[in-house]
Amino acid sequence: MSIEVKQINKFFGDFHALKNIDLQVKTGSLVSLLGPSGCGKTTLLRIIAGLETADSGQIFLHEQDVTHQKVQDRHIGFMFQNYALFRHMSVFENIAFGLNVLPRKLRPSKDEIREKVHHLLKLIQLPHVAHALPHQLSGGQRQRVALARSLAVEPKILLLDEPFGALDAKVRKELRQWLRDIHQELHITSLLVTHDQEEALEISDQIVVMNHGNIEQIGDASTLQHSPKTAFVTEFIGEVNAFEGEIIADNTWCYKQYRYKLDKAHLLSDTPVGTAVTAYIRPYQWTISQDKQEAMLQGVIKHIHDVGAFLRLTILEPSTYRFIEVQADVSSTFKVDDLVYLTPKFIQFFPKK
Ligand code: ATP
């Protein structure tokens, strides 16, 4: 175990920003903290780094209790969204900075530093910019140099706070893949803060979904998509259609005329009769047909978008005037304005919020 967070609580005045946070990050893995603005991601990262103190709880790095250790004793590399490079130093000098300021006993020789910086420049695929100044680089290149600077001192743990936040979507996407590759090469235990679910799903081994200072669920992309434990995770990860209904007799959920029998796969089996329960159905969890039998809904196709692997249909349910997103096979022959019937293949249920 490389990072272990035990029962961390943090208050800002009366505001309870982190609530009994427990988290374990395995050596060599890349884990994302994902959640909406203000849920406590940065605060947790800063507490792990030692830039902020918790009101209670403990932090272990490589099984050592570092709760009361100073930031400089924790051997952590950082990279923040606005982690500006030194403007008047060349790329080479920026990357070498952390090494040049080490105490004399620990400082590598000039030749060793040169070798190391050139190795890092190759790793970030920018061997040709060693003598450039930061303003001569693109935003994406600057972030890569900032990462090389964090890596120069060979941290065992890397903390990244929205590292690509300020960049445009295309560059972000490239850098994500690049970060994943670097991570695979170096195996540095990394914790990354993001509010971008696509980013988290694409690069992380595990994703920690946070909300209001709590951890809602920890899992890989597939677990969060297919087996969410809370309504929040269901709505936050991936697209979903929600329907409010209630439990009627005998473990049966009811939405208008439609009945759906809950079984053990549903977290809410054995919910009392009369409980208001919301059903969540993802676009790929529908059967769409022109046969009315046993359908949950009827609707009219308003839009068809061919995304290559499947068709994306937007269907209007006339009785409620709501739009439902449905994924259909590419070979299907549906047309705009067709009347269709939708039956769920699977539903996630959670108590009404
Ligand atoms: P964002 O994605 O917007 O950065 P976040 O999930 O990283 O959000 P934090 O920055 O950790 O959230 O903040 C969590 C909560 O704690 C927010 O409501 C924030 O306003 C509050 N907070 C953070 N730092 C302080 C502080 N120094 N003083 C008072 N409140 C703070």
mmCIF file of all heavy atoms in Angstrom, residues 123-149:
data_model
loop_
_atom_site.group_PDB
_atom_site.id
_atom_site.type_symbol
_atom_site.label_atom_id
_atom_site.label_comp_id
_atom_site.label_asym_id
_atom_site.label_seq_id
_atom_site.Cartn_x
_atom_site.Cartn_y
_atom_site.Cartn_z
ATOM 1 N N LEU A 123 11.691 11.641 -22.254
ATOM 2 C CA LEU A 123 10.477 11.010 -21.723
ATOM 3 C C LEU A 123 9.229 11.852 -22.040
ATOM 4 O O LEU A 123 8.173 11.319 -22.367
ATOM 5 C CB LEU A 123 10.624 10.852 -20.203
ATOM 6 C CG LEU A 123 9.558 10.043 -19.495
ATOM 7 C CD1 LEU A 123 9.737 8.556 -19.808
ATOM 8 C CD2 LEU A 123 9.637 10.254 -17.990
ATOM 9 N N ILE A 124 9.354 13.168 -21.950
ATOM 10 C CA ILE A 124 8.186 14.018 -22.232
ATOM 11 C C ILE A 124 8.121 14.396 -23.716
ATOM 12 O O ILE A 124 7.342 15.239 -24.127
ATOM 13 C CB ILE A 124 8.160 15.291 -21.346
ATOM 14 C CG1 ILE A 124 9.404 16.162 -21.590
ATOM 15 C CG2 ILE A 124 8.012 14.940 -19.881
ATOM 16 C CD1 ILE A 124 9.274 17.564 -21.004
ATOM 17 N N GLN A 125 8.954 13.732 -24.492
ATOM 18 C CA GLN A 125 8.978 13.904 -25.954
ATOM 19 C C GLN A 125 9.225 15.341 -26.379
ATOM 20 O O GLN A 125 8.628 15.853 -27.317
ATOM 21 C CB GLN A 125 7.658 13.373 -26.557
ATOM 22 C CG GLN A 125 7.533 11.881 -26.386
ATOM 23 C CD GLN A 125 6.101 11.410 -26.445
ATOM 24 O OE1 GLN A 125 5.201 12.167 -26.755
ATOM 25 N NE2 GLN A 125 5.901 10.150 -26.144
ATOM 26 N N LEU A 126 10.115 16.021 -25.638
ATOM 27 C CA LEU A 126 10.482 17.389 -26.006
ATOM 28 C C LEU A 126 12.011 17.574 -25.970
ATOM 29 O O LEU A 126 12.499 18.551 -25.393
ATOM 30 C CB LEU A 126 9.827 18.392 -25.038
ATOM 31 C CG LEU A 126 8.318 18.554 -25.108
ATOM 32 C CD1 LEU A 126 7.825 19.471 -23.990
ATOM 33 C CD2 LEU A 126 7.899 19.117 -26.455
ATOM 34 N N PRO A 127 12.758 16.662 -26.591
ATOM 35 C CA PRO A 127 14.214 16.772 -26.458
ATOM 36 C C PRO A 127 14.769 18.042 -27.093
ATOM 37 O O PRO A 127 15.851 18.490 -26.726
ATOM 38 C CB PRO A 127 14.733 15.530 -27.197
ATOM 39 C CG PRO A 127 13.624 15.100 -28.083
ATOM 40 C CD PRO A 127 12.360 15.536 -27.438
ATOM 41 N N HIS A 128 14.015 18.657 -27.984
ATOM 42 C CA HIS A 128 14.545 19.800 -28.746
ATOM 43 C C HIS A 128 14.308 21.151 -28.072
ATOM 44 O O HIS A 128 14.716 22.164 -28.605
ATOM 45 C CB HIS A 128 13.899 19.807 -30.134
ATOM 46 C CG HIS A 128 12.406 19.760 -30.055
ATOM 47 N ND1 HIS A 128 11.728 18.603 -29.676
ATOM 48 C CD2 HIS A 128 11.468 20.698 -30.259
ATOM 49 C CE1 HIS A 128 10.435 18.858 -29.676
ATOM 50 N NE2 HIS A 128 10.250 20.113 -30.016
ATOM 51 N N VAL A 129 13.634 21.184 -26.925
ATOM 52 C CA VAL A 129 13.293 22.508 -26.359
ATOM 53 C C VAL A 129 14.132 22.870 -25.126
ATOM 54 O O VAL A 129 13.827 23.843 -24.447
ATOM 55 C CB VAL A 129 11.790 22.624 -25.996
ATOM 56 C CG1 VAL A 129 10.917 22.404 -27.212
ATOM 57 C CG2 VAL A 129 11.419 21.689 -24.856
ATOM 58 N N ALA A 130 15.197 22.151 -24.878
ATOM 59 C CA ALA A 130 15.968 22.363 -23.647
ATOM 60 C C ALA A 130 16.319 23.831 -23.405
ATOM 61 O O ALA A 130 16.283 24.312 -22.273
ATOM 62 C CB ALA A 130 17.234 21.520 -23.683
ATOM 63 N N HIS A 131 16.626 24.569 -24.475
ATOM 64 C CA HIS A 131 17.093 25.944 -24.272
ATOM 65 C C HIS A 131 15.994 26.980 -24.449
ATOM 66 O O HIS A 131 16.236 28.184 -24.321
ATOM 67 C CB HIS A 131 18.276 26.231 -25.200
ATOM 68 C CG HIS A 131 19.389 25.258 -24.951
ATOM 69 N ND1 HIS A 131 20.082 25.221 -23.759
ATOM 70 C CD2 HIS A 131 19.862 24.230 -25.701
ATOM 71 C CE1 HIS A 131 20.938 24.230 -23.784
ATOM 72 N NE2 HIS A 131 20.819 23.605 -24.950
ATOM 73 N N ALA A 132 14.784 26.526 -24.737
ATOM 74 C CA ALA A 132 13.670 27.477 -24.928
ATOM 75 C C ALA A 132 13.242 28.052 -23.577
ATOM 76 O O ALA A 132 13.453 27.442 -22.521
ATOM 77 C CB ALA A 132 12.502 26.754 -25.577
ATOM 78 N N LEU A 133 12.628 29.236 -23.645
ATOM 79 C CA LEU A 133 12.032 29.814 -22.435
ATOM 80 C C LEU A 133 10.562 29.425 -22.418
ATOM 81 O O LEU A 133 9.964 29.178 -23.480
ATOM 82 C CB LEU A 133 12.178 31.339 -22.454
ATOM 83 C CG LEU A 133 13.609 31.847 -22.233
ATOM 84 C CD1 LEU A 133 13.716 33.327 -22.527
ATOM 85 C CD2 LEU A 133 14.069 31.534 -20.795
ATOM 86 N N PRO A 134 9.943 29.387 -21.231
ATOM 87 C CA PRO A 134 8.558 28.906 -21.151
ATOM 88 C C PRO A 134 7.596 29.604 -22.126
ATOM 89 O O PRO A 134 6.743 28.954 -22.718
ATOM 90 C CB PRO A 134 8.182 29.187 -19.700
ATOM 91 C CG PRO A 134 9.463 29.064 -18.961
ATOM 92 C CD PRO A 134 10.519 29.597 -19.901
ATOM 93 N N HIS A 135 7.767 30.937 -22.334
ATOM 94 C CA HIS A 135 6.794 31.625 -23.196
ATOM 95 C C HIS A 135 6.914 31.186 -24.656
ATOM 96 O O HIS A 135 6.040 31.479 -25.467
ATOM 97 C CB HIS A 135 6.927 33.155 -23.071
ATOM 98 C CG HIS A 135 8.109 33.709 -23.796
ATOM 99 N ND1 HIS A 135 9.323 33.910 -23.168
ATOM 100 C CD2 HIS A 135 8.273 34.084 -25.086
ATOM 101 C CE1 HIS A 135 10.182 34.393 -24.063
ATOM 102 N NE2 HIS A 135 9.567 34.503 -25.221
ATOM 103 N N GLN A 136 7.989 30.480 -24.991
ATOM 104 C CA GLN A 136 8.139 30.009 -26.380
ATOM 105 C C GLN A 136 7.453 28.649 -26.593
ATOM 106 O O GLN A 136 7.471 28.123 -27.697
ATOM 107 C CB GLN A 136 9.631 29.897 -26.730
ATOM 108 C CG GLN A 136 10.320 31.251 -26.698
ATOM 109 C CD GLN A 136 11.832 31.137 -26.820
ATOM 110 O OE1 GLN A 136 12.473 30.386 -26.098
ATOM 111 N NE2 GLN A 136 12.392 31.895 -27.747
ATOM 112 N N LEU A 137 6.875 28.114 -25.527
ATOM 113 C CA LEU A 137 6.227 26.794 -25.626
ATOM 114 C C LEU A 137 4.714 26.931 -25.682
ATOM 115 O O LEU A 137 4.149 27.930 -25.227
ATOM 116 C CB LEU A 137 6.572 25.937 -24.399
ATOM 117 C CG LEU A 137 8.045 25.737 -24.067
ATOM 118 C CD1 LEU A 137 8.156 24.875 -22.810
ATOM 119 C CD2 LEU A 137 8.774 25.089 -25.219
ATOM 120 N N SER A 138 4.051 25.893 -26.204
ATOM 121 C CA SER A 138 2.578 25.875 -26.158
ATOM 122 C C SER A 138 2.150 25.475 -24.744
ATOM 123 O O SER A 138 2.969 24.973 -23.955
ATOM 124 C CB SER A 138 2.050 24.849 -27.157
ATOM 125 O OG SER A 138 2.357 23.549 -26.695
ATOM 126 N N GLY A 139 0.858 25.668 -24.446
ATOM 127 C CA GLY A 139 0.334 25.318 -23.116
ATOM 128 C C GLY A 139 0.574 23.857 -22.776
ATOM 129 O O GLY A 139 0.984 23.509 -21.671
ATOM 130 N N GLY A 140 0.336 22.989 -23.761
ATOM 131 C CA GLY A 140 0.522 21.553 -23.534
ATOM 132 C C GLY A 140 1.984 21.217 -23.268
ATOM 133 O O GLY A 140 2.304 20.402 -22.408
ATOM 134 N N GLN A 141 2.875 21.884 -24.009
ATOM 135 C CA GLN A 141 4.314 21.640 -23.791
ATOM 136 C C GLN A 141 4.727 22.111 -22.406
ATOM 137 O O GLN A 141 5.516 21.461 -21.723
ATOM 138 C CB GLN A 141 5.136 22.368 -24.866
ATOM 139 C CG GLN A 141 4.995 21.726 -26.234
ATOM 140 C CD GLN A 141 5.681 22.529 -27.330
ATOM 141 O OE1 GLN A 141 5.805 23.756 -27.235
ATOM 142 N NE2 GLN A 141 6.107 21.861 -28.378
ATOM 143 N N ARG A 142 4.178 23.255 -21.982
ATOM 144 C CA ARG A 142 4.533 23.772 -20.644
ATOM 145 C C ARG A 142 4.122 22.787 -19.552
ATOM 146 O O ARG A 142 4.841 22.570 -18.585
ATOM 147 C CB ARG A 142 3.860 25.131 -20.402
ATOM 148 C CG ARG A 142 4.626 26.275 -21.035
ATOM 149 C CD ARG A 142 4.245 27.602 -20.392
ATOM 150 N NE ARG A 142 2.913 28.031 -20.777
ATOM 151 C CZ ARG A 142 2.670 28.782 -21.849
ATOM 152 N NH1 ARG A 142 3.646 29.198 -22.622
ATOM 153 N NH2 ARG A 142 1.431 29.136 -22.148
ATOM 154 N N GLN A 143 2.930 22.186 -19.722
ATOM 155 C CA GLN A 143 2.472 21.222 -18.715
ATOM 156 C C GLN A 143 3.386 20.001 -18.700
ATOM 157 O O GLN A 143 3.658 19.435 -17.649
ATOM 158 C CB GLN A 143 1.023 20.788 -18.967
ATOM 159 C CG GLN A 143 -0.017 21.831 -18.584
ATOM 160 C CD GLN A 143 0.128 22.307 -17.152
ATOM 161 O OE1 GLN A 143 0.881 23.235 -16.861
ATOM 162 N NE2 GLN A 143 -0.595 21.694 -16.232
ATOM 163 N N ARG A 144 3.869 19.623 -19.858
ATOM 164 C CA ARG A 144 4.777 18.467 -19.902
ATOM 165 C C ARG A 144 6.090 18.801 -19.199
ATOM 166 O O ARG A 144 6.640 17.969 -18.478
ATOM 167 C CB ARG A 144 5.054 18.070 -21.358
ATOM 168 C CG ARG A 144 3.843 17.449 -22.010
ATOM 169 C CD ARG A 144 4.263 16.699 -23.239
ATOM 170 N NE ARG A 144 3.846 17.357 -24.461
ATOM 171 C CZ ARG A 144 4.337 17.056 -25.668
ATOM 172 N NH1 ARG A 144 5.249 16.134 -25.794
ATOM 173 N NH2 ARG A 144 3.893 17.667 -26.731
ATOM 174 N N VAL A 145 6.556 20.034 -19.402
ATOM 175 C CA VAL A 145 7.792 20.438 -18.726
ATOM 176 C C VAL A 145 7.559 20.489 -17.210
ATOM 177 O O VAL A 145 8.404 20.060 -16.418
ATOM 178 C CB VAL A 145 8.296 21.811 -19.260
ATOM 179 C CG1 VAL A 145 9.486 22.304 -18.447
ATOM 180 C CG2 VAL A 145 8.662 21.702 -20.735
ATOM 181 N N ALA A 146 6.378 20.987 -16.819
ATOM 182 C CA ALA A 146 6.065 21.044 -15.382
ATOM 183 C C ALA A 146 6.082 19.631 -14.793
ATOM 184 O O ALA A 146 6.550 19.416 -13.674
ATOM 185 C CB ALA A 146 4.700 21.706 -15.162
ATOM 186 N N LEU A 147 5.583 18.664 -15.566
ATOM 187 C CA LEU A 147 5.599 17.293 -15.063
ATOM 188 C C LEU A 147 7.043 16.782 -14.946
ATOM 189 O O LEU A 147 7.402 16.168 -13.943
ATOM 190 C CB LEU A 147 4.775 16.368 -15.964
ATOM 191 C CG LEU A 147 4.710 14.935 -15.447
ATOM 192 C CD1 LEU A 147 3.905 14.855 -14.149
ATOM 193 C CD2 LEU A 147 4.100 13.994 -16.462
ATOM 194 N N ALA A 148 7.849 17.090 -15.956
ATOM 195 C CA ALA A 148 9.256 16.657 -15.900
ATOM 196 C C ALA A 148 9.933 17.268 -14.679
ATOM 197 O O ALA A 148 10.723 16.613 -13.999
ATOM 198 C CB ALA A 148 9.980 17.075 -17.177
ATOM 199 N N ARG A 149 9.604 18.529 -14.381
ATOM 200 C CA ARG A 149 10.211 19.171 -13.208
ATOM 201 C C ARG A 149 9.808 18.423 -11.930
ATOM 202 O O ARG A 149 10.621 18.213 -11.035
ATOM 203 C CB ARG A 149 9.776 20.642 -13.143
ATOM 204 C CG ARG A 149 10.463 21.389 -12.037
ATOM 205 C CD ARG A 149 10.205 22.864 -12.095
ATOM 206 N NE ARG A 149 8.795 23.171 -11.899
ATOM 207 C CZ ARG A 149 8.329 24.414 -11.863
ATOM 208 N NH1 ARG A 149 9.127 25.439 -12.042
ATOM 209 N NH2 ARG A 149 7.051 24.611 -11.674
#
